Amino acid sequence: MARILVISDIHGNVEDLRRVLDIERHDYVFLLGDYIGDLMGYCTIESGNQVLEVVKPLIAGTDNVVLKGNHEAMSCAENGRDHEQYLSMMKALPNEAYRMVDGFS
């Protein structure tokens, strides 16, 4: 049976994101959004960009699910404010996804 790692609301916490991806055994990663965006003063622009760098390879050519959160949507509405180099990537993220894993959906 496939192991699915589900993560949401990272808000720039790149250290914990890397740690979880390294430690937890998984076949698929489902990221539910909010990679950037200040959460009680924690997320800086730089830490948000670092998270987007970790997220980027999880998008390309895999069966992972990487969704757009409301913070990415707000950044896109502001033409990538603070995260301009990731604007096209964030715009391309879907709001929802459907995946069948091991015959279950």
Side-chain angles (χ1 to χ4, degrees):
M1 180 170 287
R3 293 171 301 239
I4 301 171
L5 180 59
V6 180
I7 305 171
S8 70
D9 297 284
I10 299 162
H11 293 286
N13 192 343
V14 69
E15 294 86 12
D16 284 349
L17 174 61
R18 286 182 179 141
R19 189 175 304 117
V20 168
L21 289 171
D22 287 342
I23 292 173
E24 294 297 328
R25 291 181 13 191
H26 58 276
D27 301 305
Y28 305 100
V29 178
F30 288 12
L31 298 177
L32 307 182
D34 285 356
Y35 316 111
I36 62 172
D38 193 26
L39 182 66
M40 296 172 32
Y42 179 81
C43 183
T44 66
I45 295 167
E46 181 59 32
S47 66
N49 286 340
Q50 290 172 351
V51 167
L52 292 171
E53 277 299 316
V54 173
V55 168
K56 189 189 303 186
L58 296 173
I59 297 170
T62 69
D63 288 324
N64 295 323
V65 172
V66 182
L67 299 179
K68 182 187 305 176
N70 64 306
H71 285 269
E72 290 77 44
M74 286 186 291
S75 183
C76 289
E78 297 172 345
N79 289 318
R81 184 172 151 232
D82 300 330
H83 306 283
E84 294 86 0
Q85 66 269 37
Y86 301 99
L87 179 60
S88 62
M89 180 183 94
M90 290 189 296
K91 281 185 174 183
L93 294 174
N95 295 319
E96 59 186 42
Y98 174 85
R99 290 288 188 272
M100 183 173 279
V101 177
D102 288 347
F104 295 98
S105 59

